[in-house]
Coordinates of all heavy atoms in Angstrom, one line a residue:
M1 N 0.8 -1.2 0.0 CA 0.0 0.0 0.0 C 0.9 1.2 0.0 O 1.8 1.3 0.8 CB -0.9 0.0 1.2 CG -1.8 1.2 1.4 SD -2.8 1.1 2.8 CE -4.4 0.8 2.0
A2 N 0.6 2.2 -0.8 CA 1.3 3.4 -0.9 C 1.0 4.3 0.3 O -0.1 4.3 0.8 CB 1.0 4.2 -2.2
T3 N 2.0 5.1 0.7 CA 1.9 6.0 1.8 C 1.8 7.4 1.2 O 2.4 7.7 0.2 CB 3.0 5.9 2.8 OG1 4.2 6.2 2.2 CG2 3.0 4.5 3.4
L4 N 1.1 8.3 1.9 CA 1.0 9.7 1.5 C 1.9 10.5 2.4 O 1.8 10.5 3.6 CB -0.4 10.1 1.6 CG -0.7 11.6 1.3 CD1 -0.4 11.9 -0.1 CD2 -2.1 12.0 1.6
E5 N 2.8 11.2 1.8 CA 3.7 12.1 2.6 C 3.1 13.5 2.5 O 2.9 14.1 1.4 CB 5.1 12.1 2.1 CG 5.8 10.8 2.4 CD 7.3 10.9 2.1 OE1 7.9 12.0 2.3 OE2 7.8 9.9 1.6
I6 N 2.9 14.1 3.7 CA 2.4 15.5 3.8 C 3.6 16.4 4.0 O 4.3 16.2 5.0 CB 1.3 15.6 4.9 CG1 0.2 14.6 4.6 CG2 0.8 17.0 5.0 CD1 -0.9 14.5 5.7
P7 N 3.8 17.4 3.2 CA 4.9 18.3 3.3 C 4.9 19.0 4.7 O 3.9 19.5 5.1 CB 4.7 19.3 2.2 CG 3.9 18.5 1.1 CD 3.0 17.7 1.9
T8 N 6.1 19.1 5.3 CA 6.2 19.8 6.5 C 5.7 21.2 6.5 O 5.1 21.7 7.4 CB 7.7 19.7 7.0 OG1 8.1 18.4 7.0 CG2 7.9 20.4 8.3
E9 N 6.0 21.9 5.4 CA 5.6 23.3 5.3 C 4.1 23.4 5.4 O 3.6 24.4 6.0 CB 6.1 23.9 3.9 CG 7.6 24.0 3.8 CD 8.1 22.7 3.1 OE1 7.4 21.7 3.0 OE2 9.3 22.8 2.7
F10 N 3.4 22.5 4.7 CA 1.9 22.5 4.8 C 1.4 22.3 6.2 O 0.6 23.0 6.7 CB 1.4 21.4 3.9 CG -0.1 21.2 4.0 CD1 -1.0 22.1 3.3 CD2 -0.7 20.2 4.8 CE1 -2.4 21.9 3.5 CE2 -2.0 20.1 5.0 CZ -2.9 20.9 4.3
L11 N 2.0 21.3 6.9 CA 1.6 21.0 8.3 C 1.8 22.2 9.2 O 1.0 22.6 10.1 CB 2.3 19.8 8.8 CG 1.8 18.5 8.1 CD1 2.7 17.3 8.7 CD2 0.4 18.2 8.4
E12 N 3.0 22.8 9.0 CA 3.3 24.0 9.9 C 2.4 25.1 9.6 O 1.9 25.8 10.5 CB 4.8 24.4 9.6 CG 5.8 23.5 10.2 CD 7.2 23.8 9.8 OE1 7.4 24.8 9.0 OE2 8.1 23.1 10.2
G13 N 2.0 25.3 8.3 CA 1.0 26.4 8.0 C -0.3 26.1 8.6 O -1.0 27.0 9.1
M14 N -0.8 24.9 8.6 CA -2.1 24.5 9.2 C -2.1 24.7 10.7 O -3.0 25.2 11.3 CB -2.4 23.1 8.8 CG -2.7 22.9 7.3 SD -4.0 24.0 6.6 CE -5.5 23.3 7.4
K15 N -1.0 24.4 11.3 CA -0.8 24.6 12.8 C -0.9 26.1 13.1 O -1.5 26.5 14.1 CB 0.4 24.0 13.3 CG 0.4 22.5 13.4 CD 1.8 22.0 13.9 CE 1.9 20.5 13.8 NZ 3.2 20.0 14.2
W16 N -0.2 26.9 12.3 CA -0.2 28.3 12.5 C -1.6 28.9 12.3 O -2.0 29.8 13.1 CB 0.8 29.0 11.6 CG 1.0 30.5 11.9 CD1 1.8 31.0 12.8 CD2 0.3 31.5 11.2 NE1 1.7 32.4 12.7 CE2 0.8 32.7 11.8 CE3 -0.7 31.6 10.2 CZ2 0.3 34.0 11.4 CZ3 -1.1 32.9 9.8 CH2 -0.6 34.0 10.4
I17 N -2.3 28.5 11.3 CA -3.7 28.9 11.1 C -4.6 28.6 12.3 O -5.3 29.5 12.7 CB -4.2 28.3 9.8 CG1 -3.5 28.9 8.5 CG2 -5.7 28.5 9.7 CD1 -3.8 28.1 7.3
Q18 N -4.5 27.4 12.8 CA -5.3 27.0 13.9 C -4.9 27.9 15.1 O -5.8 28.3 15.9 CB -5.1 25.5 14.3 CG -5.9 25.0 15.4 CD -7.4 25.2 15.2 OE1 -7.9 25.1 14.1 NE2 -8.2 25.4 16.2
A19 N -3.7 28.2 15.4 CA -3.3 28.9 16.5 C -3.7 30.4 16.4 O -3.9 31.1 17.4 CB -1.7 28.9 16.7
H20 N -3.9 30.9 15.2 CA -4.3 32.3 15.0 C -5.7 32.4 14.4 O -6.0 33.5 13.8 CB -3.3 33.0 14.0 CG -1.9 33.0 14.7 ND1 -1.0 32.0 14.6 CD2 -1.3 33.9 15.4 CE1 0.1 32.2 15.2 NE2 -0.1 33.4 15.8
R21 N -6.5 31.4 14.5 CA -7.8 31.4 13.9 C -8.7 32.6 14.2 O -9.3 33.2 13.2 CB -8.6 30.1 14.4 CG -9.9 29.9 13.9 CD -10.5 28.6 14.5 NE -10.5 28.6 15.9 CZ -11.3 29.1 16.7 NH1 -12.3 29.8 16.3 NH2 -11.2 29.0 18.0
E22 N -8.8 33.1 15.4 CA -9.7 34.2 15.7 C -9.2 35.5 15.0 O -10.1 36.2 14.4 CB -9.8 34.4 17.2 CG -10.6 33.3 17.9 CD -10.7 33.6 19.4 OE1 -10.6 34.7 19.8 OE2 -10.9 32.6 20.1
K23 N -8.0 35.8 15.0 CA -7.4 37.0 14.3 C -7.6 36.8 12.8 O -8.0 37.8 12.1 CB -6.0 37.2 14.7 CG -5.5 38.5 14.0 CD -4.1 38.8 14.5 CE -3.7 40.2 13.9 NZ -2.5 40.7 14.4
L24 N -7.4 35.6 12.3 CA -7.6 35.4 10.8 C -9.0 35.6 10.4 O -9.3 36.2 9.4 CB -7.1 34.1 10.4 CG -5.5 33.9 10.5 CD1 -5.2 32.4 10.3 CD2 -4.8 34.8 9.6
Q25 N -10.0 35.2 11.3 CA -11.4 35.4 11.0 C -11.7 36.9 11.0 O -12.4 37.3 10.1 CB -12.3 34.7 12.0 CG -12.3 33.2 11.7 CD -13.2 32.5 12.7 OE1 -13.1 32.7 13.9 NE2 -14.0 31.6 12.2
D26 N -11.2 37.6 11.9 CA -11.4 39.1 11.9 C -10.9 39.8 10.7 O -11.5 40.7 10.1 CB -10.7 39.7 13.1 CG -11.4 39.4 14.5 OD1 -12.5 38.9 14.4 OD2 -10.7 39.5 15.5
L27 N -9.7 39.3 10.2 CA -9.1 40.0 9.0 C -9.5 39.5 7.7 O -9.5 40.2 6.7 CB -7.5 39.9 9.2 CG -6.9 40.6 10.4 CD1 -5.4 40.2 10.5 CD2 -7.1 42.1 10.3
Y28 N -9.8 38.2 7.6 CA -10.0 37.6 6.3 C -11.3 36.8 6.1 O -11.4 36.0 5.1 CB -8.8 36.6 6.0 CG -7.5 37.3 6.0 CD1 -6.6 37.2 7.1 CD2 -7.0 38.0 4.9 CE1 -5.3 37.8 7.1 CE2 -5.8 38.7 4.9 CZ -5.0 38.5 6.0 OH -3.7 39.1 6.0
E29 N -12.3 37.0 6.9 CA -13.5 36.2 6.8 C -14.1 36.4 5.4 O -14.2 37.4 4.8 CB -14.5 36.7 7.8 CG -15.8 35.9 7.9 CD -16.7 36.3 9.0 OE1 -16.2 36.4 10.2 OE2 -17.8 36.6 8.7
G30 N -14.5 35.2 4.9 CA -15.0 35.2 3.5 C -14.0 35.2 2.4 O -14.4 35.3 1.2
Q31 N -12.7 34.9 2.7 CA -11.7 34.9 1.7 C -10.8 33.6 1.9 O -10.8 33.0 2.9 CB -10.7 36.1 1.9 CG -11.3 37.4 1.8 CD -10.3 38.5 1.9 OE1 -9.3 38.6 1.2 NE2 -10.5 39.4 2.9
W32 N -10.2 33.3 0.8 CA -9.1 32.3 0.8 C -7.8 32.9 1.3 O -7.6 34.1 0.9 CB -8.9 31.7 -0.6 CG -10.1 30.9 -1.0 CD1 -11.1 31.3 -1.8 CD2 -10.3 29.5 -0.8 NE1 -12.0 30.2 -2.0 CE2 -11.5 29.1 -1.4 CE3 -9.6 28.5 -0.1 CZ2 -12.0 27.8 -1.3 CZ3 -10.1 27.2 0.0 CH2 -11.3 26.9 -0.6
I33 N -7.1 32.2 2.1 CA -5.7 32.7 2.5 C -4.7 31.6 2.2 O -5.0 30.5 2.3 CB -5.6 33.2 3.9 CG1 -5.9 32.0 4.9 CG2 -6.5 34.4 4.2 CD1 -5.6 32.3 6.4
A34 N -3.5 32.1 1.8 CA -2.4 31.2 1.7 C -1.3 31.5 2.7 O -1.0 32.7 2.9 CB -1.8 31.3 0.3
V35 N -0.9 30.5 3.5 CA 0.1 30.7 4.5 C 1.4 30.0 4.2 O 1.3 28.8 3.8 CB -0.5 30.3 5.9 CG1 0.5 30.2 7.0 CG2 -1.7 31.1 6.3
Y36 N 2.5 30.7 4.4 CA 3.8 30.1 4.2 C 4.7 30.7 5.2 O 4.7 31.9 5.4 CB 4.3 30.2 2.8 CG 5.6 29.6 2.5 CD1 5.7 28.2 2.5 CD2 6.7 30.3 2.3 CE1 6.9 27.6 2.2 CE2 7.9 29.7 2.0 CZ 8.0 28.3 2.0 OH 9.2 27.7 1.7
Q37 N 5.5 29.9 5.9 CA 6.5 30.4 6.9 C 5.8 31.3 7.9 O 6.3 32.4 8.3 CB 7.7 31.0 6.3 CG 8.5 30.0 5.4 CD 9.7 30.7 4.8 OE1 9.8 31.9 4.7 NE2 10.7 29.8 4.5
N38 N 4.7 30.8 8.5 CA 3.9 31.5 9.5 C 3.5 32.9 9.2 O 3.5 33.8 10.1 CB 4.8 31.5 10.8 CG 5.0 30.1 11.3 OD1 4.2 29.2 11.1 ND2 6.1 29.9 12.0
Q39 N 3.1 33.1 8.0 CA 2.5 34.4 7.6 C 1.5 34.2 6.4 O 1.7 33.3 5.6 CB 3.5 35.4 7.3 CG 4.4 35.1 6.2 CD 5.5 36.2 6.0 OE1 5.2 37.4 6.2 NE2 6.6 35.8 5.5
V40 N 0.5 35.1 6.4 CA -0.4 35.1 5.3 C 0.4 35.8 4.1 O 0.8 36.9 4.3 CB -1.7 35.8 5.6 CG1 -2.6 36.0 4.4 CG2 -2.4 35.1 6.7
I41 N 0.5 35.1 3.0 CA 1.3 35.7 1.9 C 0.4 36.2 0.8 O 0.8 37.0 0.0 CB 2.3 34.7 1.3 CG1 1.6 33.4 0.9 CG2 3.4 34.4 2.3 CD1 2.5 32.4 0.2
T42 N -0.9 35.8 0.8 CA -1.9 36.3 -0.2 C -3.3 35.9 0.3 O -3.4 35.0 1.0 CB -1.6 35.9 -1.6 OG1 -2.4 36.7 -2.5 CG2 -1.8 34.4 -1.8
S43 N -4.2 36.7 -0.2 CA -5.6 36.4 0.1 C -6.5 36.9 -1.0 O -6.1 37.7 -1.8 CB -6.0 37.1 1.4 OG -6.0 38.5 1.3
G44 N -7.7 36.3 -1.1 CA -8.6 36.8 -2.1 C -9.9 35.9 -2.1 O -10.0 35.0 -1.3
L45 N -10.8 36.2 -3.0 CA -12.1 35.5 -3.1 C -12.0 34.3 -4.0 O -12.9 33.5 -4.0 CB -13.1 36.5 -3.7 CG -13.4 37.7 -2.8 CD1 -14.4 38.7 -3.5 CD2 -13.8 37.3 -1.4
N46 N -11.0 34.2 -4.8 CA -10.9 33.1 -5.8 C -9.7 32.1 -5.4 O -8.6 32.6 -5.4 CB -10.7 33.7 -7.2 CG -10.6 32.6 -8.3 OD1 -9.6 31.9 -8.4 ND2 -11.6 32.6 -9.1
F47 N -10.1 30.9 -5.2 CA -9.1 29.9 -4.7 C -7.9 29.8 -5.7 O -6.7 29.9 -5.4 CB -9.7 28.5 -4.5 CG -8.7 27.4 -4.3 CD1 -8.1 27.3 -3.1 CD2 -8.2 26.6 -5.4 CE1 -7.1 26.3 -2.9 CE2 -7.3 25.7 -5.2 CZ -6.7 25.5 -3.9
K48 N -8.2 29.6 -7.0 CA -7.2 29.4 -8.0 C -6.2 30.6 -8.1 O -5.0 30.4 -8.2 CB -7.9 29.2 -9.4 CG -6.9 28.7 -10.5 CD -6.7 27.3 -10.2 CE -6.0 26.7 -11.5 NZ -5.4 25.4 -11.2
E49 N -6.8 31.8 -8.0 CA -5.9 33.0 -8.0 C -5.0 33.1 -6.8 O -3.8 33.5 -6.9 CB -6.8 34.3 -8.1 CG -7.4 34.4 -9.5 CD -8.4 35.6 -9.6 OE1 -8.5 36.4 -8.6 OE2 -9.1 35.7 -10.6
V50 N -5.6 32.8 -5.7 CA -4.8 32.8 -4.4 C -3.7 31.7 -4.5 O -2.5 32.0 -4.2 CB -5.6 32.5 -3.2 CG1 -4.8 32.3 -1.9 CG2 -6.6 33.7 -3.0
Q51 N -4.0 30.5 -5.0 CA -3.0 29.5 -5.2 C -1.9 29.9 -6.1 O -0.7 29.7 -5.8 CB -3.7 28.2 -5.7 CG -2.7 27.0 -5.8 CD -3.4 25.8 -6.4 OE1 -4.1 25.9 -7.4 NE2 -3.3 24.7 -5.7
Q52 N -2.3 30.4 -7.3 CA -1.3 30.8 -8.3 C -0.4 31.9 -7.7 O 0.9 31.9 -7.9 CB -2.0 31.3 -9.5 CG -2.6 30.2 -10.3 CD -3.4 30.7 -11.5 OE1 -3.8 31.8 -11.6 NE2 -3.8 29.7 -12.4
E53 N -0.9 32.9 -7.0 CA -0.1 34.0 -6.5 C 0.8 33.5 -5.4 O 2.0 33.9 -5.3 CB -1.0 35.1 -5.9 CG -0.3 36.3 -5.3 CD 0.4 37.1 -6.4 OE1 0.1 37.0 -7.6 OE2 1.3 37.9 -6.0
A54 N 0.3 32.5 -4.6 CA 1.2 32.0 -3.5 C 2.4 31.2 -4.1 O 3.5 31.3 -3.6 CB 0.3 31.1 -2.6
V55 N 2.1 30.4 -5.1 CA 3.2 29.6 -5.8 C 4.2 30.6 -6.4 O 5.4 30.4 -6.2 CB 2.6 28.7 -6.8 CG1 3.7 28.1 -7.7 CG2 1.8 27.6 -6.1
K56 N 3.7 31.6 -7.0 CA 4.6 32.6 -7.6 C 5.4 33.4 -6.6 O 6.6 33.5 -6.8 CB 3.7 33.7 -8.4 CG 4.5 34.7 -9.1 CD 3.5 35.7 -9.8 CE 4.2 36.8 -10.5 NZ 3.3 37.8 -11.1
K57 N 4.8 33.7 -5.5 CA 5.6 34.5 -4.4 C 6.6 33.6 -3.7 O 7.7 34.1 -3.3 CB 4.6 35.1 -3.4 CG 3.9 36.3 -3.8 CD 3.0 36.8 -2.7 CE 2.4 38.1 -3.1 NZ 1.6 38.7 -2.0
T58 N 6.3 32.3 -3.5 CA 7.2 31.5 -2.7 C 8.1 30.6 -3.5 O 9.1 30.1 -3.0 CB 6.3 30.6 -1.8 OG1 5.6 29.7 -2.6 CG2 5.5 31.4 -0.9
G59 N 7.7 30.3 -4.7 CA 8.5 29.3 -5.5 C 8.3 27.9 -5.1 O 9.0 27.0 -5.5
Q60 N 7.3 27.7 -4.2 CA 7.0 26.3 -3.7 C 5.9 25.7 -4.5 O 5.1 26.3 -5.2 CB 6.5 26.5 -2.2 CG 7.5 27.0 -1.3 CD 8.6 26.1 -1.0 OE1 8.5 24.9 -0.9 NE2 9.8 26.6 -1.1
L61 N 5.8 24.3 -4.4 CA 4.7 23.6 -5.0 C 3.5 23.9 -4.3 O 3.5 24.2 -3.0 CB 5.0 22.1 -5.0 CG 6.2 21.6 -5.7 CD1 6.5 20.1 -5.4 CD2 6.0 21.8 -7.2
A62 N 2.3 23.9 -4.9 CA 1.1 24.2 -4.3 C 0.8 23.4 -3.1 O 0.2 23.9 -2.1 CB -0.1 24.1 -5.3
N63 N 1.2 22.1 -3.1 CA 0.8 21.2 -2.0 C 1.7 21.5 -0.7 O 1.6 20.9 0.3 CB 0.9 19.7 -2.4 CG 2.3 19.3 -2.7 OD1 3.2 20.0 -3.1 ND2 2.5 18.0 -2.6
H64 N 2.7 22.4 -0.9 CA 3.5 22.8 0.3 C 2.9 24.0 1.0 O 3.5 24.4 2.1 CB 4.9 23.1 -0.2 CG 5.7 21.9 -0.5 ND1 6.9 21.5 0.1 CD2 5.5 20.9 -1.4 CE1 7.3 20.4 -0.4 NE2 6.5 20.0 -1.3
L65 N 1.9 24.6 0.5 CA 1.3 25.8 1.0 C 0.0 25.4 1.7 O -0.8 24.7 1.1 CB 1.1 26.8 -0.1 CG 2.3 27.2 -0.9 CD1 1.9 27.9 -2.2 CD2 3.3 28.0 -0.1
A66 N -0.3 26.0 2.8 CA -1.6 25.9 3.5 C -2.5 26.9 2.9 O -2.3 28.1 3.1 CB -1.4 26.0 5.0
I67 N -3.5 26.5 2.2 CA -4.5 27.4 1.6 C -5.9 27.0 2.1 O -6.3 25.9 1.9 CB -4.4 27.4 0.1 CG1 -3.0 27.7 -0.4 CG2 -5.5 28.3 -0.5 CD1 -2.9 27.6 -1.9
V68 N -6.5 27.9 2.8 CA -7.8 27.6 3.4 C -8.8 28.7 3.2 O -8.4 29.9 3.0 CB -7.6 27.4 5.0 CG1 -6.7 26.2 5.3 CG2 -7.2 28.6 5.7
F69 N -10.1 28.4 3.3 CA -11.1 29.4 3.3 C -11.4 29.8 4.7 O -11.7 28.9 5.6 CB -12.4 28.8 2.6 CG -13.4 29.9 2.4 CD1 -13.3 30.8 1.4 CD2 -14.6 29.8 3.2 CE1 -14.3 31.8 1.2 CE2 -15.6 30.8 3.0 CZ -15.4 31.8 2.0
V70 N -11.4 31.1 5.0 CA -11.7 31.6 6.3 C -13.2 31.8 6.4 O -13.7 32.8 5.8 CB -10.9 32.8 6.6 CG1 -11.2 33.3 8.1 CG2 -9.4 32.6 6.5
D71 N -13.9 31.0 7.0 CA -15.4 31.0 7.1 C -15.9 31.7 8.3 O -15.3 31.8 9.3 CB -15.9 29.6 7.0 CG -17.3 29.4 6.4 OD1 -17.9 30.5 6.1 OD2 -17.7 28.3 6.2
D72 N -17.2 32.1 8.2 CA -17.9 32.6 9.4 C -18.3 31.4 10.2 O -19.1 30.6 9.8 CB -19.1 33.4 8.9 CG -20.0 34.0 10.0 OD1 -19.8 33.6 11.2 OD2 -20.8 34.9 9.7
P73 N -17.8 31.4 11.5 CA -18.1 30.2 12.3 C -19.6 30.1 12.7 O -20.0 29.1 13.2 CB -17.2 30.4 13.5 CG -17.0 31.9 13.6 CD -17.0 32.3 12.1
R74 N -20.4 31.1 12.5 CA -21.8 31.1 12.8 C -22.6 30.5 11.7 O -23.8 30.2 11.9 CB -22.3 32.5 13.1 CG -21.6 33.2 14.2 CD -21.8 34.6 14.3 NE -21.2 35.2 13.1 CZ -21.1 36.5 12.8 NH1 -21.6 37.4 13.6 NH2 -20.5 36.9 11.7
C75 N -22.0 30.2 10.5 CA -22.8 29.6 9.4 C -22.9 28.1 9.5 O -22.0 27.5 10.1 CB -22.1 30.0 8.1 SG -22.1 31.7 7.6
I76 N -24.1 27.7 9.1 CA -24.3 26.2 9.0 C -24.7 26.0 7.5 O -25.5 26.6 6.9 CB -25.5 25.8 9.9 CG1 -25.1 26.1 11.4 CG2 -25.8 24.4 9.7 CD1 -26.2 25.9 12.3
Y77 N -24.0 25.0 6.9 CA -24.2 24.6 5.5 C -24.9 23.3 5.5 O -24.7 22.4 6.2 CB -22.9 24.5 4.8 CG -22.2 25.9 4.8 CD1 -21.2 26.1 5.8 CD2 -22.5 26.8 3.9 CE1 -20.5 27.4 5.8 CE2 -21.8 28.1 3.9 CZ -20.9 28.3 4.9 OH -20.2 29.5 4.9
L78 N -25.9 23.2 4.5 CA -26.6 22.0 4.3 C -26.5 21.5 2.9 O -26.7 22.3 2.0 CB -28.1 22.3 4.7 CG -29.1 21.2 4.4 CD1 -28.9 20.0 5.3 CD2 -30.5 21.7 4.6
S79 N -26.3 20.3 2.7 CA -26.2 19.7 1.4 C -27.4 18.7 1.3 O -27.5 17.8 2.1 CB -24.9 19.0 1.1 OG -25.0 18.3 -0.1
L80 N -28.2 18.8 0.2 CA -29.3 17.8 0.0 C -28.9 16.8 -1.0 O -29.8 16.0 -1.4 CB -30.5 18.6 -0.4 CG -31.0 19.7 0.6 CD1 -32.2 20.4 0.0 CD2 -31.4 19.0 1.9
L81 N -27.7 16.7 -1.3 CA -27.2 15.6 -2.3 C -27.1 14.3 -1.6 O -26.7 14.1 -0.5 CB -25.9 16.0 -2.9 CG -26.0 17.3 -3.7 CD1 -24.6 17.7 -4.3 CD2 -27.0 17.2 -4.9

C-alpha cells in the first residue's frame, strides 16, 4: 500500500492557522488565504488566483502551502445531495 507524505511546510502552515484562527477570521473572513512560513502571503475571493499568487511568491509547489477558506463560524451549511 502506498503512503502519502504530507509536506512539513503544509503542516506547519495549518498549525499556525489554527493557533491564529480568531485573528484570521477578523481580518480575512469570507476569503481564501495562503500561509507560508507563519504568515499570510496572499488572500482573495478566488481559490485558483490565491494558489497561483502563492506559488509565484514562494516558488513552492502548491501542496507545500496551506491554503484555506476563512469561514464565518456562525454559518451552517446543508447539502441535500
Side-chain angles (χ1 to χ4, degrees):
M1 177 179 254
T3 60
L4 175 66
E5 287 190 38
I6 301 173
T8 302
E9 298 90 346
F10 172 82
L11 292 174
E12 289 173 357
M14 293 303 290
K15 287 178 188 176
W16 186 86
I17 289 167
Q18 182 60 32
H20 296 87
R21 181 181 49 84
E22 288 182 24
K23 183 171 183 171
L24 293 172
Q25 282 178 318
D26 290 342
L27 295 172
Y28 299 103
E29 187 175 306
Q31 297 182 59
W32 289 94
I33 61 169
V35 171
Y36 183 68
Q37 295 182 339
N38 296 333
Q39 61 181 330
V40 176
I41 54 171
T42 191
S43 65
L45 300 176
N46 182 287
F47 171 81
K48 191 77 168 169
E49 290 173 5
V50 169
Q51 182 184 49
Q52 289 172 344
E53 182 67 19
V55 167
K56 182 179 173 182
K57 283 184 172 183
T58 65
Q60 296 292 315
L61 296 173
N63 69 335
H64 286 238
L65 304 166
I67 303 174
V68 299
F69 186 74
V70 182
D71 207 354
D72 181 343
R74 300 166 293 187
C75 290
I76 297 173
Y77 299 95
L78 172 67
S79 173
L80 299 176
L81 299 177

